[in-house]
Amino acid sequence: MTHPHLRLSALVVVHNEEKRLQACLERLSFADEIVVVLDKCTDGSKAIAARFTDRLLEGRWDMEGERRNTGIAFCTGDWVLEVDADEHIPPELAVEIRATIDSTTFDWHEILVDNYIGERLVRHGWGGSFGKAAYPGLFRKEAKTWGNDRVHPSLIWRGRKGPMLKNRINHYVDRNISDMIRRLDNYSTAKARDLRDRGETWGSTASNVRRMASRFWKCYVSRRGYREGGYGFIIAVCAALYPMLSHLKARLEKE
């Protein structure tokens, strides 16, 4: 049974993304609606977004989960496709998304991700809260709720998970290794704030030493990061350091 009249909302949540936003939005014309959430934007992001849609929502949110939930609620489609400003939907994925929402009996689907560091495609080794090989980005509007955290919020699902889509989204995650290290610093700072808010430090230093070893092994060996050469190694190092840095910042810093 098909549902040809179901509307699709493409949701993009941004903070000062004037350099990357246009390329993202240009590839979303297959959606029935484009919604752009502008979080504390002080650059030209709003003017760029306005060339593609009048569905703009401006505000200030400290929590990643809160701003994403606000964006989902603002969408009017039966289905929502969440896309970040550094992600591009190729034409073959756009066709598959439309076909999926017209025919699926499930409530949400994961999308495979091709991650790029600069011009280099890096497919192996992502994980440990540092990069994604796939993400649950296509869902019925009522199926997904984000948790109230600054970074890597938890997810609450209603309904049934469907099969993963076959085509991949292109994610231009970092320009270079320096970008990757800055992202690690930002992620761990935000995670430390979440931990302090809950009166936690993410375990002991000793437990995080053990966690470092297991995360490095998971990314570099189990997820075959070794196949990516030096890039796979630095991804595994960053994934291993993320909980330790978050723990130490939560324990030793005030803000």
Side-chain angles (χ1 to χ4, degrees):
M1 180 179 180
T2 61
H3 306 275
H5 301 298
L6 292 179
R7 297 187 67 234
L8 173 65
S9 298
L11 172 63
V12 188
V13 179
V14 303
H15 168 67
N16 289 347
E17 290 285 3
E18 63 180 6
K19 294 181 179 179
R20 301 189 289 191
L21 185 57
Q22 178 170 327
C24 172
L25 296 178
E26 285 174 344
R27 292 163 172 83
L28 295 177
S29 60
F30 66 93
D32 300 298
E33 169 187 68
I34 299 175
V35 170
V36 179
V37 176
L38 300 153
D39 182 17
K40 301 184 286 288
C41 288
T42 57
D43 65 352
S45 294
K46 181 178 179 180
I48 293 169
R51 299 205 298 265
F52 294 88
T53 180
D54 60 359
R55 298 286 293 156
L56 306 178
L57 182 62
E58 294 183 84
R60 301 180 65 86
W61 296 272
D62 291 328
M63 301 297 184
E64 176 74 6
E66 182 183 10
R67 69 176 183 168
R68 288 190 178 273
N69 286 334
T70 301
I72 292 171
F74 193 63
C75 293
T76 63
D78 302 284
W79 283 82
V80 177
L81 170 68
E82 279 190 299
V83 181
D84 289 338
D86 58 359
E87 296 173 334
H88 297 172
I89 300 286
E92 59 273 16
L93 176 57
V95 171
E96 184 181 11
I97 288 170
R98 294 297 323 195
T100 297
I101 67 172
D102 283 347
S103 61
T104 187
T105 59
F106 297 96
D107 299 286
W108 54 285
H109 296 263
E110 288 188 311
I111 302 172
L112 288 165
V113 179
D114 268 347
N115 293 289
Y116 288 82
I117 301 175
E119 299 297 319
R120 166 72 183 271
L121 171 60
V122 180
R123 277 192 170 172
H124 302 94
W126 299 101
S129 303
F130 198 79
K132 56 188 183 182
Y135 78 111
L138 180 64
F139 53 93
R140 298 184 195 273
K141 182 178 176 179
E142 68 278 3
K144 182 178 185 179
T145 302
W146 289 88
N148 195 30
D149 297 287
R150 292 178 177 84
V151 64
H152 304 135
S154 59
L155 291 172
I156 299 171
W157 291 102
R158 288 168 291 276
R160 297 188 303 153
K161 179 182 179 180
M164 187 176 294
L165 302 191
K166 294 181 174 62
N167 292 288
R168 295 170 177 263
I169 189 172
N170 294 325
H171 182 204
Y172 297 92
V173 58
D174 294 308
R175 291 170 297 179
N176 48 42
I177 292 173
S178 294
D179 236 13
M180 192 182 303
I181 294 170
R182 280 189 288 269
R183 184 159 59 91
L184 171 63
D185 186 40
N186 292 334
Y187 278 6
S188 57
T189 295
K191 182 65 177 180
R193 288 173 179 164
D194 286 337
L195 292 170
R196 284 195 298 270
D197 286 349
R198 297 195 295 265
E200 302 174 13
T201 60
W202 217 357
S204 65
T205 301
S207 68
N208 278 290
V209 169
R210 294 190 293 272
R211 189 177 286 154
M212 287 175 65
S214 65
R215 284 186 174 225
F216 183 89
W217 179 271
K218 182 177 182 180
C219 291
Y220 195 65
V221 179
S222 300
R223 297 192 174 181
R224 299 180 292 174
Y226 61 84
R227 295 183 58 177
E228 304 292 353
Y231 284 114
F233 181 82
I234 191 65
I235 289 169
V237 168
C238 288
L241 285 173
Y242 170 64
M244 176 62 83
L245 290 174
S246 301
H247 159 74
L248 292 173
K249 289 179 180 181
R251 198 184 77 184
L252 301 176
E253 297 178 350
K254 301 297 183 183
E255 296 182 357

